[in-house]
Amino acid sequence: MPEIKVTPLGAGQDVGRSCILVSIAGKNVMLDCGMHMGYNDDRRFPDFSYITQNGRLTDFLDCVIISHFHLDHCGALPYFSEMVGYDGPIYMTHPTKAICPILLEDYRKITVDKKGETNFFTSQMIKDCMKKVVAVHLHQTVQVDEELEIKAYYAGHVLGAAMFQIKVGCESVVYTGDYNMTPDRHLGAAWIDKCRPDLLISESTYATTIRDSKRCRERDFLKKVHETVERGGKVLIPVFALGRAQELCILLETFWERMNLKAPIYFSTGLTEKANHYYKLFITWTNQKIRKTFVQRNMFEFKHIKAFDRAFADNPGPMVVFATPGMLHAGQSLQIFRKWAGNEKNMVIMPGYCVQGTVGHKILSGQRKLEMEGRQILEVKMQVEYMSFSAHADAKGIMQLIRQAEPRNVLLVHGEAKKMEFLKQKIEQEFHVSCFMPANGETTTILTNPCIPVDISLGLLKRETAIGPLPDAKKPKLMHGTLLMKDNSFRLVSPEQALKELGLAEHQLRFTCRVHIQDPRKEHETVLRVYNHLKGILKDYSVQHLPDGSITVESILIQATAHSEDQGTKVLLVSWTYQDEELGSYLTSLLKKGLPQST
Amino acid sequence: YRHLHTFELQAPTRLIEWARGSRVCVAGYGQSDGNEILQLIPPPTLLTKETQGLCPERDFKVECGGFSERPVYSLKYVPDTSLLVTSGPPDSSLQVWQVSAEDSDVIKSVSPIATENGTGQSWAKIATISARAPWVLHGSRLDGVQITEVESRKNIYTAASGGSEELSSLAFLDCNTLLLCCATGRLCLADIRQPQSLVEAVSVPSAPCSEQWCMGTRHGAQGLEPSSQPVARLSSRGLLTLTDLRKTSEFLALATVRVPSPGSGAEFLCISWAPALEGCLAISGFDGTVHVYDTQSWDSSGREAEPVFVHKGHAFGGAGGSGDPPLVTVHTWHLQKPRTLLSAASDGSLHVWDWVQPCGKC
């Protein structure tokens, strides 16, 4: 039975370090290669030993596909390709290829330089890894080899995020990565055509959430920022570099313009500046509205937002600053935080998830006295707020995507199994497809029913369509013929033509059965009795008594002879060809029942 | 407003019920099957007494859900059990469900409670109580009111027939007293210890054109005799009456409220008392708004009353200009926070809002 095998190496039933292995029609593909931000040891990488026990990775895997630049989807890539060892192709979209190395380098710097870890990839490794990357465009079919092809679709979520279709012959899998079905200020919504894959692998992080409307979230965010700035305080917004920072920049810029506010807004140099540069470069990846207004004015060139200088942090008066990194674990945002923490007029707004152990996580948990380097205690008097703007699909979005793609099976990753039973039933009921939720290391096998295209000979087609009523265009029609498999081609021809082509002679099968009948009269009288009996019963069939003393029923021959040893017994020879098997068996059992007394 | 949160449900609901552990339940009422019953965990902002603006979690989480073949028009949890009862067209039978959130997130269907002469009647209105045992009070018409014990399905009580009018709602005042409100506005009290008698409260003023009525009773106030709380009735033409059940011969108060188009459907008429604010009630169902009134200053003159607050959010939400404007299908008060309400509308929106008294009173 043809099948597709899926094994999550990460993100099986938890969030973080997405990495999924797919085996389809003999090809092996790795989807994403993420890092778990919550661990500091080897647990942060997916467990590659599952694959490496089969030999070299490069031989085993046909390709690796990365959906977007978030570290929980690409963070383990240099480790995988340079430290574990993989030299095959790595596919990702152009923006992802451009932005990935920056994020990887930044994370490397913090892990190695600040935290002093040793078992980590180096800058050179990141460069070497990126050399193996092949960038793809949206909706472009890329031939990985003769049989395997992939195609990227727009996923929303962050710049350059894509959903990938992996196809071998007529079996296909679609992997969504992280996606979003509602457009936001700077990105459009995910979209896919009715590609009817055998399997759709979808993330389900927010499947059980009913989200507060974006308008309310934004309104509250702006209210907080406004209030702080009005009373002369400073607002620090640590950002993850790319993604939400742009969204918030646009939001603030629009608000500042509308309310005619004068307080300065800064974004720190480094990552965020490069990010704006990339957004301008990949303007086609942003949403319609931005592309339209781009002609009049570049949405990412802000009037009210300026580049930050370290010295500005000491300036008196209100201001808003976007600084990296996002969890306040090091760098500029931490520096600014230390300067401003002591003043209760100030505010810090955390716009995303913070990993345990970082300053960001500590202050969100309520800690107000932090121990810094050199045993210094920092008292946090500034207001701490949290605002989540991440864009993932909720249950409604997942259903929408399934409706668009029409897969035959669905597999969910990134969720908690216990809470997914309802969603599983919902999907199964609404779409009549099977839904799977494997854990890490657990292999799910999905049976596919591939259609094999076969050429049919014209003669056979004409003959088959002549029999019976005209077929319904939408219903499958059963046809009889002989399948010839030669040199990788399939042809359906009539049996006669097959025999001719193969130079074979047709065999005729003939069955003969002996039925004993008690009858002391002469043979020809027995024959007459049998003839009258059959003629009476088989009214719809042609029963004939031939001059040579035999009876035919259609093309079945019945002859009577006397039994060699017993004159009172007659032996009826019933003989038929393979084509008349049914009637032959029926006749035999009928005759075995005996003849009626009167004749 | 002090706070306003808007959410969008996948399908609109016409009920919002509170459950143990501050859970909230909503359910779909669409004609096709595949309606979902969802038990939601409200975001921490709703649960904590101190409200924070930007809380870590602002979203509702679906704790568990079930699938109903029929539209769900009414849902009530059975106290002290893990069961809930629903009702909806096409007939007056009840569906029973089991919720076991710790084990799985699916609300399972348990066998239904059929009612004799059930077919041909409209859907049943329900109320539940667990005094002597878990009971459900149900009926769709005044001559078909009964109490069934939920677990054994035994019939405990059948009300004396006072007519065959359609009911608009019913309630347990205490473990022996029932309150029945007909769509015509007739209000009847019944004592289950005296099955043959139905006491009628004061009728509503008769009207030239037909109007529909619904009622709201007050629960939750500690230590107060349930029958001392006035019963409010609202008509589809905008007439509001308050009746003290100890003095049923006259109205306690009478008022009219401004409604957009009198007699515009009474499908979603809803009136409820604030559990934590003395004399405050809310009404909805005329359009996309919810009105809050302070009844303490009302008298029996029937004058027009001014709302203390109007929530207009539902009228503005959603895609502009596509089809009919949304109609508020139901609203309910938060059990502890005095000025917080939840309201849902026909476009699937669900709002949680906290209003500020403009003049500092109340």
Side-chain angles (χ1 to χ4, degrees):
Chain A
M1 244 346 279
E3 57 198 22
I4 297 178
K5 286 199 163 88
V6 180
T7 311
L9 300 176
Q13 267 160 17
D14 73 8
V15 187
R17 67 181 154 132
S18 292
C19 184
I20 300 167
L21 199 57
V22 174
S23 285
I24 171 173
K27 303 285 173 188
N28 298 309
V29 177
M30 181 189 290
L31 302 169
D32 280 338
C33 190
M35 170 131 64
H36 198 305
M37 311 291 273
Y39 296 117
N40 279 331
D41 51 32
D42 280 348
R43 282 177 302 173
R44 63 178 149 210
F45 297 125
D47 185 7
F48 298 119
S49 64
Y50 182 85
I51 343 170
T52 52
Q53 56 193 336
N54 286 345
R56 285 185 357 113
L57 283 176
T58 313
D59 298 331
F60 179 74
L61 288 174
D62 292 278
C63 71
V64 173
I65 298 177
I66 302 290
S67 60
H68 63 289
F69 58 66
H70 274 158
L71 286 173
D72 60 341
H73 288 255
C74 72
L77 195 61
Y79 168 80
F80 171 74
S81 73
E82 306 309 303
M83 290 169 82
V84 178
Y86 171 75
D87 297 313
I90 302 174
Y91 293 95
M92 55 180 81
T93 60
H94 285 271
T96 311
K97 183 178 178 186
I99 297 167
C100 227
I102 306 175
L103 278 174
L104 287 169
E105 179 58 36
D106 185 57
Y107 193 69
R108 190 205 68 77
K109 259 199 285 204
I110 290 167
T111 315
V112 174
D113 299 346
K114 295 289 164 85
K115 291 208 218 156
E117 289 196 27
T118 44
N119 187 27
F120 212 73
F121 47 83
T122 63
S123 298
Q124 185 58 41
M125 286 182 188
I126 297 176
K127 294 200 180 85
D128 291 336
C129 171
M130 296 312 289
K131 287 199 192 115
K132 300 173 186 168
V133 171
V134 178
V136 302
H137 293 287
L138 279 182
H139 307 163
Q140 170 199 10
T141 303
V142 174
Q143 293 287 144
V144 177
D145 62 33
E146 272 174 9
E147 291 146 326
L148 173 63
E149 54 183 56
I150 62 174
K151 184 153 81 161
Y153 289 93
Y154 191 76
H157 187 57
V158 286
L159 187 69
M163 310 190 286
F164 279 88
Q165 179 194 36
I166 299 128
K167 198 153 141 175
V168 181
C170 43
E171 284 172 84
S172 64
V173 174
V174 170
Y175 171 60
T176 64
D178 287 346
Y179 65 105
N180 188 15
M181 296 301 284
T182 48
D184 59 27
R185 266 162 223 280
H186 74 300
L187 291 174
W191 179 88
I192 194 167
D193 53 15
K194 214 191 279 283
C195 52
R196 299 219 175 101
D198 291 283
L199 176 65
L200 174 73
I201 302 176
S202 171
E203 67 127 348
S204 52
T205 329
Y206 275 72
T208 51
T209 308
I210 295 179
R211 300 205 80 194
D212 184 6
S213 79
K214 212 155 75 84
R215 269 197 6 230
C216 284
R217 243 174 248 266
E218 289 179 347
R219 200 200 49 235
D220 285 350
F221 169 72
L222 293 172
K223 197 163 108 170
K224 290 274 160 184
V225 171
H226 193 193
E227 278 169 5
T228 308
V229 158
E230 287 287 291
R231 63 168 182 244
K234 299 172 166 51
V235 182
L236 171 65
I237 308 177
V239 282
F240 264 129
L242 291 152
R244 295 305 118 199
Q246 276 61 43
E247 183 83 1
L248 296 176
C249 278
I250 296 177
L251 185 61
L252 277 186
E253 167 92 359
T254 323
F255 185 66
W256 245 241
E257 183 80 20
R258 191 155 53 88
M259 305 286 280
N260 202 16
L261 297 176
K262 299 292 175 226
I265 310 178
Y266 300 111
F267 64 80
S268 73
T269 49
L271 228 43
T272 328
E273 209 178 45
K274 276 206 184 106
N276 281 332
H277 162 72
Y278 282 109
Y279 272 94
K280 287 185 218 170
L281 196 60
F282 296 112
I283 196 74
T284 48
W285 279 82
T286 58
N287 70 19
Q288 286 281 62
K289 210 164 76 166
I290 290 185
R291 283 207 293 284
K292 279 199 196 137
T293 60
F294 192 69
V295 180
Q296 298 134 9
R297 135 186 125 73
N298 183 343
M299 275 293 270
F300 293 110
E301 221 132 62
F302 299 113
K303 231 167 60 176
H304 300 274
I305 308 184
K306 312 236 172 357
F308 185 69
D309 185 283
R310 262 206 305 208
F312 295 172
D314 298 317
N315 285 6
M319 69 173 80
V320 180
V321 175
F322 287 95
T324 62
M327 301 184 207
L328 286 181
H329 49 284
Q332 195 165 61
S333 59
L334 185 60
Q335 267 179 19
I336 302 172
F337 174 74
R338 291 167 76 156
K339 284 198 187 176
W340 295 357
N343 188 338
E344 67 227 352
K345 278 204 276 194
N346 297 338
M347 177 187 285
V348 60
I349 303 181
M350 311 295 300
Y353 171 70
C354 286
V355 171
Q356 217 176 20
T358 56
V359 172
H361 188 266
K362 288 187 187 149
I363 57 175
L364 280 178
S365 316
Q367 244 185 297
R368 289 296 176 260
K369 283 194 173 28
L370 302 170
E371 194 178 299
M372 300 274 128
E373 298 133 27
R375 300 300 195 105
Q376 278 189 310
I377 305 284
L378 180 68
E379 235 193 278
V380 181
K381 290 209 193 111
M382 75 194 301
Q383 270 186 272
V384 178
E385 298 284 353
Y386 175 102
M387 189 82 242
S388 166
F389 276 114
S390 73
H392 286 260
D394 58 8
K396 186 161 153 194
I398 297 173
M399 302 300 275
Q400 248 181 303
L401 187 73
I402 299 176
R403 206 167 289 124
Q404 272 184 21
E406 286 190 20
R408 293 202 198 97
N409 297 279
V410 174
L411 192 135
L412 300 173
V413 289
H414 250 223
E416 296 168 57
K418 209 165 71 124
K419 306 290 181 176
M420 306 298 294
E421 185 66 37
F422 179 59
L423 178 64
K424 178 171 177 312
Q425 275 192 22
K426 191 167 145 144
I427 292 175
E428 287 174 342
Q429 273 183 14
E430 174 138 357
F431 300 110
H432 306 290
V433 295
S434 306
C435 186
F436 305 90
M437 299 167 318
N440 281 348
E442 192 187 313
T443 303
T444 305
T445 306
I446 290 144
L447 298 175
T448 56
N449 225 345
C451 291
I452 303 171
V454 166
D455 287 327
I456 183 170
S457 80
L458 196 56
L460 183 63
L461 189 61
K462 280 190 185 160
R463 193 171 80 178
E464 287 290 320
T465 50
I467 307 169
L470 274 178
D472 185 336
K474 294 232 167 99
K475 286 204 170 122
K477 184 173 162 70
L478 192 62
M479 290 196 185
H480 288 110
T482 309
L483 183 67
L484 289 175
M485 295 188 280
K486 196 171 162 197
D487 302 327
N488 270 345
S489 76
F490 295 95
R491 276 164 53 233
L492 200 60
V493 298
S494 64
E496 299 80 31
Q497 187 176 348
L499 285 171
K500 208 164 75 174
E501 281 190 30
L502 297 170
L504 296 170
E506 188 175 356
H507 286 70
Q508 289 284 339
L509 279 175
R510 195 162 192 95
F511 299 97
T512 306
C513 195
R514 285 179 161 74
V515 181
H516 293 244
I517 292 189
Q518 294 297 340
D519 192 352
R521 285 167 279 192
K522 296 212 183 62
E523 282 122 56
H524 69 269
E525 285 173 7
T526 312
V527 167
L528 201 57
R529 272 181 77 193
V530 171
Y531 171 70
N532 287 326
H533 174 51
L534 289 181
K535 192 116 177 115
I537 293 180
L538 300 174
K539 295 204 171 66
D540 296 326
Y541 293 87
S542 135
V543 183
Q544 290 178 332
H545 190 180
L546 298 179
D548 68 358
S550 58
I551 301 169
T552 59
V553 177
E554 300 287 328
S555 57
I556 297 171
L557 190 64
I558 304 173
Q559 290 168 317
T561 55
H563 193 278
S564 48
E565 280 138 36
D566 173 13
Q567 276 299 322
T569 306
K570 297 293 176 292
V571 179
L572 292 178
L573 286 165
V574 189
S575 149
W576 62 90
T577 62
Y578 174 67
Q579 277 80 359
D580 296 319
E581 166 66 28
E582 222 179 289
L583 186 55
S585 311
Y586 171 67
L587 268 180
T588 311
S589 48
L590 183 64
L591 289 171
K592 275 190 182 151
K593 288 193 190 133
L595 293 172
Q597 287 305 345
S598 62
T599 0
Chain B
Y1 286 107
R2 198 136 58 121
H3 296 110
L4 169 64
H5 294 274
T6 62
F7 302 86
E8 205 180 294
L9 297 170
Q10 206 171 331
T13 182
R14 54 185 288 172
L15 57 95
I16 304 176
E17 290 290 327
W18 289 96
R20 227 181 356 207
S22 300
R23 308 296 196 251
V24 169
C25 193
V26 296
Y29 60 92
Q31 285 314 306
S32 58
D33 89 286
N35 288 296
E36 292 176 358
I37 300 173
L38 300 172
Q39 182 169 294
L40 310 171
I41 305 177
T45 38
L46 271 200
L47 301 180
T48 56
K49 293 223 74 184
E50 255 315 303
T51 46
Q52 300 162 267
L54 304 172
C55 225
E57 295 296 335
R58 298 163 58 105
D59 308 319
F60 273 93
K61 275 214 169 19
V62 175
E63 185 176 28
C64 44
F67 298 99
S68 168
E69 280 163 8
R70 17 171 111 195
V72 182
Y73 277 31
S74 180
L75 184 151
K76 291 271 183 284
Y77 281 88
V78 183
D80 301 337
T81 70
S82 63
L83 303 170
L84 58 85
V85 180
T86 64
S87 70
D91 58 39
S92 64
S93 62
L94 307 179
Q95 289 73 49
V96 183
W97 306 81
Q98 168 110 17
V99 183
S100 44
E102 306 78 36
D103 303 323
S104 102
D105 66 339
V106 177
I107 299 179
K108 297 194 209 4
S109 165
V110 177
S111 63
I113 295 176
T115 49
E116 19 175 270
N117 312 316
T119 47
Q121 290 195 8
S122 80
W123 57 284
K125 320 304 181 269
I126 50 188
T128 53
I129 196 171
S130 277
R132 294 197 266 285
W135 288 349
V136 56
L137 167 66
H138 59 107
S140 65
R141 294 200 319 220
L142 195 52
D143 58 358
V145 176
Q146 45 183 303
I147 298 181
T148 306
E149 197 175 82
V150 181
E151 266 139 27
S152 64
R153 309 301 163 92
K154 238 172 34 173
N155 174 282
I156 302 289
Y157 164 85
T158 308
S161 170
S164 64
E165 293 128 77
E166 202 160 299
L167 287 172
S168 70
S169 57
L170 30 76
F172 278 101
L173 275 186
D174 58 37
C175 55
N176 293 314
T177 324
L178 313 175
L179 190 58
L180 313 168
C181 177
C182 301
T184 53
R186 229 174 117 188
L187 196 60
C188 302
L189 278 163
D191 186 327
I192 62 175
R193 296 165 297 195
Q194 300 168 0
Q196 293 314 309
S197 68
L198 266 186
V199 173
E200 198 152 319
V202 56
S203 287
V204 290
S206 57
C209 50
S210 70
E211 55 182 344
Q212 304 252 43
W213 291 81
C214 70
M215 80 165 166
T217 52
R218 190 173 181 200
H219 302 282
Q222 299 101 317
L224 289 176
E225 258 280 321
S227 56
S228 72
Q229 299 297 303
V231 174
R233 276 175 289 177
L234 171 69
S235 90
S236 51
R237 272 196 317 124
L239 203 58
L240 252 165
T241 76
L242 298 183
T243 309
D244 184 331
L245 292 172
R246 294 163 302 187
K247 261 174 37 164
T248 58
S249 52
E250 57 185 43
F251 288 128
L252 193 57
L254 194 63
T256 54
V257 296
R258 226 174 308 142
V259 297
S261 49
S264 66
E267 177 99 31
F268 300 125
L269 221 52
C270 186
I271 178 170
S272 63
W273 288 98
L277 277 183
E278 195 65 43
C280 253
L281 54 76
I283 68 171
S284 69
F286 296 101
D287 54 20
T289 63
V290 182
H291 292 220
V292 181
Y293 292 90
D294 178 356
T295 63
Q296 288 174 340
S297 57
W298 289 5
D299 54 28
S300 334
S301 64
R303 251 183 332 185
E304 186 168 301
E306 277 300 316
V308 145
F309 185 79
V310 178
H311 170 62
K312 300 197 188 100
H314 291 283
F316 295 126
S322 59
D324 310 312
L327 196 56
V328 174
T329 54
V330 66
H331 72 264
T332 192
W333 291 79
H334 192 283
L335 298 175
Q336 288 92 33
K337 291 165 151 228
R339 283 189 194 73
T340 303
L341 285 103
L342 282 76
S343 55
S346 53
D347 61 354
S349 56
L350 177 67
H351 291 189
V352 181
W353 40 284
D354 191 319
W355 52 281
V356 176
Q357 174 67 4
C359 325
K361 283 192 294 203
C362 200

